[in-house]
Amino acid sequence: MAGGLEPHLEALRRELRGPAVLSVLIALITVAITFLIWRFVQGRRSSRKAVLLLGLCDAGKTLLFARLLSGRYRDTQTSITDSSAVYRLSRDKSTNVTLIDLPGHESLRLQFLERFKAAARAIVFVVDSVAFQREVKDVAEFLYQVLVDSTVLRNAPALLIACNKQDVTMAKSAKLIQQQLEKELNTLRVTRSAAPTSLDSSGGPAQLGKKGKDFDFSQLPMKVEFVECSARGSKGEEGEADLEGIEKWLVKVA
């Protein structure tokens, strides 16, 4: 009986050494490696719980920070250090992120970005929609420095451009702000190509957007959204802030 089974066993051994089984094994190894990489990336992402509030001085970051945390209006002044607090994203308080308000002064902002950028799950870049036309070059300059940073490029945190002070009649729309920023960032990319502000992971100059094409935000490795908001609110100090768009976005990126 054993002799009768031997040809069948030999045929099975030949099958197991065949190209079909090898293909299956390669596929299984590929799936396993992909799963391990996904777990690693997810683990790194889950360890980044900070949402950074960035922007120029007087853009309204600190009032936005206070409104998100307490809902109440308070007088603010130019920050010279960071402020952080846990922000609860759900009623059961099981989901939260750490909001970090960073100084917007030119001499401090990159120093504080350097300190906290590795922990950033997301970035809220606050723009003064009223002063935007006057400050567009400075806004684009700071945003450019953020976007070509090697750590930011590698981690690709979600980015929200919060067009603040929409309660003021002269405020520029989010659409216009996006168009103007894309134009200014494209100009900066050209003028800075010979002297980049950062290096990418390969050691070469960081590339903003796609080479040979005019810059737009869809070319970035992170998802970028624009929202109109008002940390002060249309009814002033006694009223509520208009932050619904930011609050929904925070829930989405948490």
Side-chain angles (χ1 to χ4, degrees):
M1 182 175 178
L5 288 175
E6 188 60 34
H8 299 289
L9 293 173
E10 182 60 30
L12 179 60
R13 282 194 287 268
R14 285 198 301 270
E15 285 294 326
L16 291 175
R17 293 195 296 266
V21 174
L22 182 61
S23 297
V24 172
L25 288 174
I26 291 173
L28 289 173
I29 291 170
T30 301
V31 169
I33 292 173
T34 302
F35 177 74
L36 289 173
I37 292 173
W38 179 82
R39 286 292 300 271
F40 174 74
V41 171
Q42 288 296 108
R44 287 188 60 190
R45 184 174 184 272
S46 63
S47 68
R48 300 197 305 271
K49 296 288 288 183
V51 176
L52 308 185
L53 302 184
L54 307 180
L56 303 187
C57 285
D58 301 321
K61 299 186 306 301
T62 303
L63 179 56
L64 173 61
F65 176 78
R67 285 286 210 177
L68 285 170
L69 293 171
S70 69
R72 294 189 296 271
Y73 178 92
R74 71 177 176 87
D75 292 324
T76 61
Q77 57 187 9
T78 301
S79 303
I80 59 172
T81 188
D82 61 281
S83 298
S84 63
V86 174
Y87 175 70
R88 308 292 180 183
L89 291 156
S90 60
R91 290 183 179 180
D92 62 7
K93 298 184 178 181
S94 62
T95 307
N96 62 75
V97 294
T98 301
L99 290 180
I100 307 179
D101 174 27
L102 303 187
H105 193 279
E106 186 177 3
S107 64
L108 297 172
R109 57 197 182 209
L110 292 181
Q111 170 189 334
F112 279 88
L113 175 64
E114 183 69 25
R115 184 183 303 177
F116 292 104
K117 63 186 181 182
R121 187 186 195 87
I123 294 174
V124 178
F125 193 96
V126 185
V127 175
D128 184 337
S129 304
V130 179
F132 177 73
Q133 208 64 52
R134 180 174 72 250
E135 297 178 342
V136 59
K137 292 186 182 299
D138 292 333
V139 172
E141 170 76 26
F142 184 23
L143 185 57
Y144 178 88
Q145 291 171 319
V146 173
L147 294 177
V148 298
D149 183 275
S150 57
T151 300
V152 175
L153 284 172
R154 182 173 62 253
N155 292 341
L159 174 62
L160 181 71
I161 310 294
C163 305
N164 193 25
K165 304 186 182 181
Q166 290 291 321
D167 55 294
V168 181
T169 305
M170 299 300 292
K172 300 298 184 288
S173 69
K175 183 176 181 179
L176 185 144
I177 289 172
Q178 178 176 348
Q179 292 171 345
Q180 289 295 313
L181 280 178
E182 287 177 339
K183 181 179 178 182
E184 287 294 331
L185 288 169
N186 189 63
T187 300
L188 278 170
R189 178 177 63 173
V190 173
T191 57
R192 296 295 182 85
S193 58
T197 58
S198 180
L199 298 177
D200 65 17
S201 57
S202 65
Q207 174 66 44
L208 184 67
K210 294 182 179 179
K211 190 174 182 180
K213 292 187 176 182
D214 288 342
F215 173 78
D216 66 68
F217 285 101
S218 67
Q219 298 167 4
L220 295 174
M222 69 281 289
K223 183 174 178 57
V224 184
E225 297 181 47
F226 283 72
V227 67
E228 295 181 355
C229 63
S230 172
R232 187 171 186 270
S234 59
K235 295 183 179 179
E237 300 176 12
E238 302 303 321
E240 295 183 356
D242 179 12
L243 303 178
E244 184 179 357
I246 295 179
E247 291 168 337
K248 287 182 177 179
W249 180 84
L250 286 170
V251 171
K252 186 167 58 175
V253 301

Tab-separated table of all heavy atoms in Angstrom, residues 168-200:
chain	number	residue	atom	x	y	z
A	168	VAL	N	-15.958	90.435	9.794
A	168	VAL	CA	-15.670	91.795	9.328
A	168	VAL	C	-16.007	91.909	7.848
A	168	VAL	O	-15.690	91.020	7.047
A	168	VAL	CB	-14.189	92.154	9.570
A	168	VAL	CG1	-13.893	93.581	9.101
A	168	VAL	CG2	-13.839	91.993	11.043
A	169	THR	N	-16.653	93.007	7.478
A	169	THR	CA	-17.130	93.198	6.102
A	169	THR	C	-16.019	93.091	5.066
A	169	THR	O	-16.217	92.539	3.982
A	169	THR	CB	-17.805	94.581	5.961
A	169	THR	OG1	-18.835	94.678	6.946
A	169	THR	CG2	-18.404	94.750	4.577
A	170	MET	N	-14.843	93.594	5.394
A	170	MET	CA	-13.743	93.637	4.423
A	170	MET	C	-12.957	92.326	4.341
A	170	MET	O	-11.939	92.259	3.650
A	170	MET	CB	-12.783	94.774	4.787
A	170	MET	CG	-13.419	96.150	4.768
A	170	MET	SD	-14.073	96.574	3.128
A	170	MET	CE	-12.548	96.736	2.207
A	171	ALA	N	-13.400	91.295	5.016
A	171	ALA	CA	-12.675	90.019	5.010
A	171	ALA	C	-12.674	89.402	3.615
A	171	ALA	O	-13.678	89.422	2.907
A	171	ALA	CB	-13.312	89.056	6.006
A	172	LYS	N	-11.537	88.839	3.234
A	172	LYS	CA	-11.409	88.155	1.952
A	172	LYS	C	-11.935	86.726	2.090
A	172	LYS	O	-11.823	86.094	3.146
A	172	LYS	CB	-9.946	88.127	1.501
A	172	LYS	CG	-9.329	89.512	1.321
A	172	LYS	CD	-10.058	90.286	0.235
A	172	LYS	CE	-9.406	91.642	-0.033
A	172	LYS	NZ	-9.641	92.600	1.086
A	173	SER	N	-12.512	86.215	1.025
A	173	SER	CA	-13.093	84.872	1.043
A	173	SER	C	-12.006	83.802	1.045
A	173	SER	O	-10.858	84.046	0.640
A	173	SER	CB	-13.995	84.673	-0.176
A	173	SER	OG	-13.212	84.623	-1.357
A	174	ALA	N	-12.378	82.607	1.473
A	174	ALA	CA	-11.439	81.489	1.480
A	174	ALA	C	-10.960	81.168	0.066
A	174	ALA	O	-9.794	80.830	-0.145
A	174	ALA	CB	-12.093	80.262	2.106
A	175	LYS	N	-11.843	81.285	-0.903
A	175	LYS	CA	-11.472	80.986	-2.286
A	175	LYS	C	-10.411	81.955	-2.788
A	175	LYS	O	-9.412	81.543	-3.401
A	175	LYS	CB	-12.713	81.058	-3.193
A	175	LYS	CG	-12.429	80.680	-4.643
A	175	LYS	CD	-13.704	80.679	-5.477
A	175	LYS	CE	-13.404	80.269	-6.919
A	175	LYS	NZ	-14.651	80.251	-7.744
A	176	LEU	N	-10.591	83.246	-2.523
A	176	LEU	CA	-9.604	84.235	-2.952
A	176	LEU	C	-8.281	84.012	-2.217
A	176	LEU	O	-7.202	84.111	-2.828
A	176	LEU	CB	-10.112	85.644	-2.697
A	176	LEU	CG	-9.220	86.793	-3.199
A	176	LEU	CD1	-10.047	87.960	-3.718
A	176	LEU	CD2	-8.269	87.279	-2.090
A	177	ILE	N	-8.345	83.721	-0.923
A	177	ILE	CA	-7.127	83.480	-0.152
A	177	ILE	C	-6.377	82.278	-0.699
A	177	ILE	O	-5.145	82.305	-0.839
A	177	ILE	CB	-7.481	83.295	1.341
A	177	ILE	CG1	-7.902	84.645	1.933
A	177	ILE	CG2	-6.305	82.711	2.120
A	177	ILE	CD1	-8.448	84.571	3.345
A	178	GLN	N	-7.095	81.223	-1.054
A	178	GLN	CA	-6.434	80.054	-1.640
A	178	GLN	C	-5.743	80.405	-2.949
A	178	GLN	O	-4.576	80.032	-3.173
A	178	GLN	CB	-7.451	78.938	-1.875
A	178	GLN	CG	-6.831	77.705	-2.541
A	178	GLN	CD	-7.814	76.556	-2.692
A	178	GLN	OE1	-8.905	76.581	-2.115
A	178	GLN	NE2	-7.431	75.547	-3.449
A	179	GLN	N	-6.440	81.117	-3.816
A	179	GLN	CA	-5.860	81.488	-5.109
A	179	GLN	C	-4.613	82.344	-4.950
A	179	GLN	O	-3.591	82.118	-5.621
A	179	GLN	CB	-6.906	82.223	-5.948
A	179	GLN	CG	-8.059	81.358	-6.402
A	179	GLN	CD	-9.185	82.160	-7.040
A	179	GLN	OE1	-9.252	83.382	-6.912
A	179	GLN	NE2	-10.086	81.468	-7.727
A	180	GLN	N	-4.673	83.328	-4.052
A	180	GLN	CA	-3.535	84.217	-3.853
A	180	GLN	C	-2.353	83.476	-3.214
A	180	GLN	O	-1.192	83.716	-3.567
A	180	GLN	CB	-3.936	85.402	-2.975
A	180	GLN	CG	-4.860	86.392	-3.668
A	180	GLN	CD	-4.172	87.082	-4.848
A	180	GLN	OE1	-3.049	87.550	-4.729
A	180	GLN	NE2	-4.855	87.116	-5.976
A	181	LEU	N	-2.639	82.584	-2.287
A	181	LEU	CA	-1.564	81.819	-1.658
A	181	LEU	C	-0.891	80.889	-2.663
A	181	LEU	O	0.344	80.752	-2.665
A	181	LEU	CB	-2.105	81.005	-0.479
A	181	LEU	CG	-2.311	81.766	0.831
A	181	LEU	CD1	-2.906	80.846	1.889
A	181	LEU	CD2	-1.001	82.368	1.343
A	182	GLU	N	-1.662	80.253	-3.502
A	182	GLU	CA	-1.069	79.378	-4.527
A	182	GLU	C	-0.165	80.173	-5.452
A	182	GLU	O	0.937	79.723	-5.817
A	182	GLU	CB	-2.167	78.668	-5.308
A	182	GLU	CG	-2.863	77.572	-4.510
A	182	GLU	CD	-4.004	76.911	-5.240
A	182	GLU	OE1	-4.547	77.524	-6.188
A	182	GLU	OE2	-4.367	75.781	-4.853
A	183	LYS	N	-0.590	81.366	-5.810
A	183	LYS	CA	0.214	82.219	-6.684
A	183	LYS	C	1.511	82.633	-5.993
A	183	LYS	O	2.597	82.564	-6.592
A	183	LYS	CB	-0.602	83.455	-7.076
A	183	LYS	CG	0.121	84.410	-8.014
A	183	LYS	CD	-0.770	85.587	-8.372
A	183	LYS	CE	-0.038	86.581	-9.272
A	183	LYS	NZ	-0.891	87.755	-9.594
A	184	GLU	N	1.421	83.061	-4.739
A	184	GLU	CA	2.611	83.507	-4.009
A	184	GLU	C	3.561	82.342	-3.726
A	184	GLU	O	4.787	82.489	-3.795
A	184	GLU	CB	2.202	84.171	-2.696
A	184	GLU	CG	1.577	85.541	-2.858
A	184	GLU	CD	2.552	86.583	-3.406
A	184	GLU	OE1	3.767	86.452	-3.157
A	184	GLU	OE2	2.098	87.508	-4.085
A	185	LEU	N	3.012	81.187	-3.385
A	185	LEU	CA	3.852	80.024	-3.120
A	185	LEU	C	4.563	79.562	-4.386
A	185	LEU	O	5.715	79.111	-4.334
A	185	LEU	CB	3.011	78.888	-2.539
A	185	LEU	CG	2.550	79.094	-1.092
A	185	LEU	CD1	1.499	78.055	-0.706
A	185	LEU	CD2	3.726	79.031	-0.123
A	186	ASN	N	3.892	79.676	-5.504
A	186	ASN	CA	4.524	79.326	-6.773
A	186	ASN	C	5.708	80.256	-7.055
A	186	ASN	O	6.786	79.816	-7.483
A	186	ASN	CB	3.506	79.416	-7.914
A	186	ASN	CG	4.058	78.861	-9.216
A	186	ASN	OD1	4.363	77.676	-9.309
A	186	ASN	ND2	4.199	79.722	-10.221
A	187	THR	N	5.535	81.564	-6.790
A	187	THR	CA	6.614	82.538	-6.968
A	187	THR	C	7.777	82.235	-6.024
A	187	THR	O	8.947	82.260	-6.423
A	187	THR	CB	6.102	83.969	-6.717
A	187	THR	OG1	5.044	84.260	-7.638
A	187	THR	CG2	7.217	84.986	-6.890
A	188	LEU	N	7.467	81.927	-4.772
A	188	LEU	CA	8.507	81.600	-3.797
A	188	LEU	C	9.278	80.352	-4.216
A	188	LEU	O	10.499	80.275	-4.054
A	188	LEU	CB	7.892	81.386	-2.416
A	188	LEU	CG	7.606	82.637	-1.598
A	188	LEU	CD1	6.776	82.283	-0.364
A	188	LEU	CD2	8.899	83.322	-1.170
A	189	ARG	N	8.576	79.380	-4.744
A	189	ARG	CA	9.229	78.149	-5.167
A	189	ARG	C	10.270	78.426	-6.243
A	189	ARG	O	11.374	77.872	-6.217
A	189	ARG	CB	8.186	77.161	-5.703
A	189	ARG	CG	8.776	75.864	-6.201
A	189	ARG	CD	7.726	74.887	-6.640
A	189	ARG	NE	6.950	75.370	-7.771
A	189	ARG	CZ	6.062	74.627	-8.427
A	189	ARG	NH1	5.830	73.390	-8.037
A	189	ARG	NH2	5.393	75.115	-9.444
A	190	VAL	N	9.940	79.322	-7.156
A	190	VAL	CA	10.871	79.664	-8.237
A	190	VAL	C	12.067	80.440	-7.702
A	190	VAL	O	13.219	80.130	-8.003
A	190	VAL	CB	10.142	80.483	-9.331
A	190	VAL	CG1	11.143	80.978	-10.372
A	190	VAL	CG2	9.061	79.640	-9.988
A	191	THR	N	11.779	81.456	-6.866
A	191	THR	CA	12.857	82.320	-6.382
A	191	THR	C	13.743	81.623	-5.359
A	191	THR	O	14.919	81.972	-5.214
A	191	THR	CB	12.290	83.610	-5.766
A	191	THR	OG1	11.379	83.269	-4.710
A	191	THR	CG2	11.545	84.426	-6.812
A	192	ARG	N	13.210	80.631	-4.646
A	192	ARG	CA	13.996	79.929	-3.631
A	192	ARG	C	14.669	78.661	-4.141
A	192	ARG	O	15.386	77.999	-3.382
A	192	ARG	CB	13.100	79.553	-2.453
A	192	ARG	CG	12.510	80.728	-1.707
A	192	ARG	CD	13.607	81.544	-1.018
A	192	ARG	NE	13.044	82.638	-0.266
A	192	ARG	CZ	12.597	82.537	0.984
A	192	ARG	NH1	12.663	81.384	1.605
A	192	ARG	NH2	12.102	83.584	1.598
A	193	SER	N	14.461	78.318	-5.377
A	193	SER	CA	14.987	77.050	-5.878
A	193	SER	C	16.505	76.982	-5.783
A	193	SER	O	17.080	75.902	-5.603
A	193	SER	CB	14.549	76.832	-7.331
A	193	SER	OG	15.005	77.907	-8.152
A	194	ALA	N	17.162	78.125	-5.882
A	194	ALA	CA	18.622	78.143	-5.790
A	194	ALA	C	19.117	78.160	-4.352
A	194	ALA	O	20.274	77.860	-4.083
A	194	ALA	CB	19.170	79.366	-6.529
A	195	ALA	N	18.221	78.513	-3.419
A	195	ALA	CA	18.603	78.575	-2.000
A	195	ALA	C	17.463	78.063	-1.139
A	195	ALA	O	16.769	78.840	-0.486
A	195	ALA	CB	18.957	80.003	-1.619
A	196	PRO	N	17.217	76.729	-1.131
A	196	PRO	CA	16.074	76.166	-0.406
A	196	PRO	C	16.198	76.368	1.090
A	196	PRO	O	17.293	76.447	1.643
A	196	PRO	CB	16.113	74.678	-0.767
A	196	PRO	CG	17.546	74.419	-1.111
A	196	PRO	CD	18.046	75.687	-1.753
A	197	THR	N	15.043	76.434	1.771
A	197	THR	CA	15.029	76.635	3.219
A	197	THR	C	15.127	75.323	3.974
A	197	THR	O	15.285	75.315	5.171
A	197	THR	CB	13.725	77.336	3.649
A	197	THR	OG1	12.621	76.534	3.230
A	197	THR	CG2	13.641	78.704	3.025
A	198	SER	N	15.009	74.203	3.274
A	198	SER	CA	15.005	72.922	3.960
A	198	SER	C	15.531	71.842	3.042
A	198	SER	O	15.718	72.060	1.838
A	198	SER	CB	13.585	72.577	4.417
A	198	SER	OG	13.573	71.341	5.074
A	199	LEU	N	15.787	70.692	3.613
A	199	LEU	CA	16.229	69.541	2.844
A	199	LEU	C	15.242	68.415	3.019
A	199	LEU	O	14.651	68.254	4.075
A	199	LEU	CB	17.609	69.073	3.323
A	199	LEU	CG	18.766	70.073	3.173
A	199	LEU	CD1	20.029	69.461	3.759
A	199	LEU	CD2	18.985	70.455	1.730
A	200	ASP	N	15.047	67.631	1.961
A	200	ASP	CA	14.164	66.483	2.104
A	200	ASP	C	14.956	65.286	2.635
A	200	ASP	O	16.138	65.374	2.921
A	200	ASP	CB	13.446	66.171	0.771
A	200	ASP	CG	14.407	65.732	-0.322
A	200	ASP	OD1	15.556	65.356	0.025
A	200	ASP	OD2	14.008	65.751	-1.499
